[in-house]
């Protein structure tokens, strides 16, 4: 966001306002961290703030302060519609287009209220009132750091709750600092760590708090459901509706499984198909130059980032997997040069 736009938003917030914050379906650590960091900052500054997500967030984030006040559209649409109607300013975080938040997005589009868009996904909608978007940024929390720093220099970061939120989003979106990092990001982290919070315990809460059934599911996926296609440096895992029932799991419980495929030597493309009640959801991950955002957008109604994208398919699991395998040779050939 150009500095003058940033100041315009800051000036608008000089008097108490009703602010509405929202982010994508199946919220992750970055959606939660960026939403809650802004929530705390705005509340400290006297605003009335609501956060609403389209769907429930994973229980591993229940420890985050303020998460108990987050509204979920799947559960409470009427209250959320009311909050949208009253809002004087909306923050739309960690998603490139309002279509990513389904009915919640349609509701927001009914009103002529200024929207501040802060995001790091590719192909952003450019029609928002204010935009601070950088697809090269590690996370939306990384960008919220910039926005808050632009407004307040760095003093706000000494608030350990806000620092913890920003740290959590950066931690999760960089796979615990294993990708999308750069020296400037580490400077930001170093500044965050000056606040009094125990960042190792945050890592443990995020990375080492899975229910036993999730680990058993992971074992099942790797033992029974992993298909490796060495000539295309690709690994595929799929889960059916009956697997979800058998392991007593919800969609959020499969988070992270796709990343294990990339641990295999010489595998650079990872795809994870899950059969949801009405659609097939696909997660793509890659290493190096394989731009999975392209395949997610072109063939699976999706998008995301170069090395981490998602999409969906409406004609069943078999058809989704066939379509991917059909497009794989051409995709591999196009991107393989530097891998
Ligand atoms: P995941 O595979 O973890 O669901 O998503 C990986 C990345 O792709 C995330 O940044 C997510 O926001 C994005 N993504 C997932 N599904 C979709 C989708 O259906 N459409 C778009 N545009 N992005 C998606
Ligand atoms: Mn993100």
């Amino acid at each position: 966001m150009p500095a003058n736009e940033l100041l315009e938003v800051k000036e608008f917030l000089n008097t108490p306002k009703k602010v509405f914050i929202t982010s994508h379906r199946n919220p992750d650590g970055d959606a939660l961290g960026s939403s809650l960091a802004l929530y705390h900052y705005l509340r400290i500054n006297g605003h009335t703030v609501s956060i609403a997500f389209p769907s429930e967030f994973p229980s591993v984030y229940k420890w985050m302060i303020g998460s108990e006040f987050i509204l979920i559209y799947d559960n409470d649409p009427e209250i959320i519609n009311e909050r949208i109607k009253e809002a004087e300013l909306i923050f739309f975080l960690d998603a490139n287009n309002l279509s990513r938040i389904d009915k919640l997005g349609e509701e927001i589009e009914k009103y002529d209220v200024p929207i501040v868009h802060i995001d790091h996904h590719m192909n952003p909608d450019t029609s928002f009132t204010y935009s601070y978007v950088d697809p090269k940024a590690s996370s939306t929390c990384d960008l919220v750091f910039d926005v808050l720093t632009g407004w307040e220099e760095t003093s706000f970061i000494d608030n350990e709750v806000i620092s913890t939120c920003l740290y959590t989003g950066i931690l999760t979106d960089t796979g615990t600092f294993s990708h999308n990092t750069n020296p400037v990001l580490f400077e930001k982290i170093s500044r965050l760590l000056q606040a009094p919070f125990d960042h190792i315990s945050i890592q443990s809460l995020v990375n080492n708090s899975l229910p036993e059934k999730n680990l058993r599911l992971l074992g099942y996926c790797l033992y029974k459901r992993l298909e490796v296609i060495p000539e295309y440096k690709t690994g595929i895992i799929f889960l059916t509706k009956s697997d979800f029932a058998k392991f007593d799991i919800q969609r959020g419980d499969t988070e992270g499984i796709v990343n294990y495929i990339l641990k295999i030597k010489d595998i650079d493309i990872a795809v994870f198909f899950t059969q949801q009640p009405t659609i097939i959801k696909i997660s793509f991950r890659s290493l190096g130059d394989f731009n999975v955002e392209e395949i997610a957008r072109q063939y699976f109604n999706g998008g995301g980032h170069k090395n981490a994208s998602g999409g969906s398919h409406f004609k069943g699991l078999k058809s989704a997997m066939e379509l991917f395998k059909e497009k794989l040779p051409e995709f591999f050939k196009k991107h393989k040069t530097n891998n």
Side-chain angles (χ1 to χ4, degrees), residues 24 26 28 94-96 100 120-122 173 251 255 258 281-285 300-305 308-312:
H24 58 83
N26 303 312
D28 53 11
D94 200 36
N96 64 352
R100 293 273 291 127
H120 69 130
H121 290 88
M122 292 168 94
D173 261 29
R251 184 159 154 199
E255 187 79 39
V258 63
K281 185 72 197 148
I282 306 116
S283 283
F284 300 92
R285 297 291 185 273
F300 295 96
N301 318 291
H305 313 280
S309 281
S312 37

Side-chain angles (χ1 to χ4, degrees), residues 9 16 37 80 97 108 147 155 166 189 196 207 222 227 266 307 313:
V9 179
I80 295 173
N97 196 299
I108 289 173
V147 170
S155 57
L166 294 178
I189 292 163
N207 292 333
L222 298 177
E227 178 185 356
D266 293 330
N307 295 127
H313 185 79

Side-chain angles (χ1 to χ4, degrees), residues 28-94:
D28 53 11
D30 193 29
L32 276 141
S34 56
S35 300
L36 285 167
L38 265 174
Y39 171 88
H40 291 297
Y41 169 81
L42 293 167
R43 281 186 38 115
I44 291 166
N45 287 283
H47 304 285
T48 305
V49 194
S50 310
I51 304 178
F53 296 143
S55 64
E56 201 59 80
F57 59 89
S59 57
V60 291
Y61 298 115
K62 293 262 194 256
W63 57 269
M64 293 186 81
I65 294 175
S67 67
E68 63 276 29
F69 301 116
I70 293 174
L71 299 163
I72 306 297
Y73 204 84
D74 285 348
N75 306 338
D76 291 311
E78 291 86 8
I79 300 175
I80 295 173
N81 288 346
E82 199 54 40
R83 299 284 165 85
I84 293 172
K85 198 170 154 190
E86 304 167 347
E88 295 164 279
L89 185 67
I90 293 177
F91 283 89
F92 176 51
L93 306 176
D94 200 36

